[in-house]
Amino acid sequence: MTAGACSLSAAFPSASFAVIRGTPVLGGLRKGTHHLFCPSCKSWLFTRPEGMDWFVNVRTTMLDDTSGLEPFVETYMREKLPWAKTTADRTFE
């Protein structure tokens, strides 16, 4: 669920997002962007970017229905693995 060549996530308005079971724990560097993880398996669940409280970036592996969520932008392309491919139309270094 958390290992792979890319990290697919989807941004949702904060007002439409809620943790309905369990209590995620803060992980990562804890500066600027707050990555929250499952306390049991340590899988990255979602991110709350500091200073951008209007949205939550959710790992798509956490969603029951991913229909209509095809990649449209790739970031950190400078570090891209040469064999990793997506259908995204836009890329940024």
Side-chain angles (χ1 to χ4, degrees), residues 60 62-66:
T60 54
M62 301 298 111
L63 304 174
D64 291 332
D65 181 8
T66 57

Side-chain angles (χ1 to χ4, degrees), residues 9-91:
S9 60
F12 292 95
S14 293
S16 67
F17 177 81
V19 175
I20 58 172
R21 192 175 346 161
T23 305
V25 295
L26 189 60
L29 296 176
R30 300 180 184 199
K31 295 180 183 177
T33 300
H34 300 136
H35 299 291
L36 288 106
F37 296 80
C38 170
S40 178
C41 70
K42 307 301 186 231
S43 291
W44 170 31
L45 305 173
F46 62 94
T47 301
R48 293 185 186 273
E50 187 173 290
M52 293 185 271
D53 299 337
W54 61 89
F55 80 96
V56 176
N57 210 16
V58 180
R59 292 291 306 270
T60 54
T61 53
M62 301 298 111
L63 304 174
D64 291 332
D65 181 8
T66 57
S67 59
L69 292 179
E70 292 187 32
F72 70 93
V73 64
E74 287 183 284
T75 58
Y76 300 102
M77 294 300 288
R78 192 175 350 176
E79 301 173 18
K80 180 181 186 291
L81 298 172
W83 48 263
K85 309 260 188 257
T86 73
T87 58
D89 292 332
R90 296 167 189 86
T91 61

